[in-house]
Amino acid sequence: MRHFLVVLCALALALPLTACGSGDSSNDLSTGTGPSNNRNSVPPGATPAPTPPLQDGTGTGMSARELAFASEVFRLVNEYRNNNGRGLVQWDAPLAAVAQGHTNDMQARGLLTHAGPPPCTVGSVCLTNRLISGAVPFVSAGENVAHGQLTAQQVMDDWIASASHRDNLLAPQWTHLGVGFREGVSPASAIMTGPWWTQVFIQR
């Protein structure tokens, strides 16, 4: 059976910067406040089937497959927010490009982290830098990242099961969301096979 290490990290910030969650300054897999366990329900070689893309991928740098997974996470977030009396968030392509860029960076480095790209090492500062570099205006922002979940539903279930990630999912101030998704073995670590996931929420 194929085993997957499931790890999560959450980060929230506002201007001026205040950060919460244990993944703020560490660049290794020991960060993360959510559950860590093994996935072994998928046979070797199996890959999850993405849903058709629902969102605009223009300028995100995503493949159609990556956009399909990101779109399903976006749909599930709004379903979860609606079921819990929160306002719906809007898809934002520049924000999705920021989320995808960070997802690609984590996969390339074989890390689950809010930090980066190098030389940035403080998660809240790095997220701010990524948003500024992506020309994304925001008042406050939050980020959930994860590694190892095979489907959008699995990663949402794990985020919901963790208090800090759930707080990010349900924060009432969010107006926009970008989601990133990346598969594949990391060139930096053969044991880090993915997938990697990133959600970036903002208040605009």
Side-chain angles (χ1 to χ4, degrees):
M1 299 291 261
R2 188 176 180 189
H3 294 280
F4 293 87
L5 178 65
V6 177
V7 187
L8 311 170
C9 290
L11 175 69
L13 62 95
L15 297 178
L17 288 178
T18 57
C20 67
S22 63
D24 189 45
S25 61
S26 175
N27 286 352
D28 60 45
L29 286 172
S30 65
T31 65
T33 55
S36 294
N37 52 35
N38 288 322
R39 299 272 183 208
N40 58 10
S41 59
V42 178
T47 57
T51 57
L54 303 175
Q55 308 306 327
D56 180 12
T58 306
T60 63
M62 291 176 162
S63 69
R65 181 176 172 83
E66 288 166 342
L67 180 61
F69 279 98
S71 295
E72 180 63 6
V73 169
F74 175 79
R75 185 190 71 78
L76 290 169
V77 167
N78 270 334
E79 179 181 272
Y80 184 63
R81 287 177 66 87
N82 184 62
N83 290 343
N84 285 274
R86 300 294 193 272
L88 303 185
V89 291
Q90 298 178 44
W91 176 264
D92 186 270
L95 189 55
V98 170
Q100 185 65 23
H102 184 58
T103 307
N104 293 346
D105 181 63
M106 289 192 296
Q107 189 266 348
R109 293 191 289 148
L111 300 172
L112 184 77
T113 180
H114 295 291
C120 188
T121 60
V122 179
S124 56
V125 174
C126 302
L127 176 55
T128 299
N129 291 346
R130 292 193 296 269
L131 291 168
I132 292 171
S133 294
V136 176
F138 69 101
V139 175
S140 59
E143 181 175 81
N144 287 340
V145 298
H147 170 258
Q149 296 84 355
L150 292 176
T151 67
Q153 188 64 63
Q154 283 181 354
V155 77
M156 280 294 295
D157 288 346
D158 284 346
W159 278 328
I160 290 167
S162 167
S164 59
H165 303 85
R166 187 169 60 248
D167 287 347
N168 263 350
L169 289 167
L170 294 177
Q173 70 269 26
W174 304 141
T175 57
H176 295 78
L177 170 63
V179 181
F181 172 81
R182 189 72 189 269
E183 296 173 291
V185 176
S186 170
S189 174
I191 65 169
M192 296 292 283
T193 60
W196 282 261
W197 307 81
T198 304
Q199 295 177 317
V200 183
F201 297 90
I202 60 167
Q203 176 188 8
R204 184 168 288 165

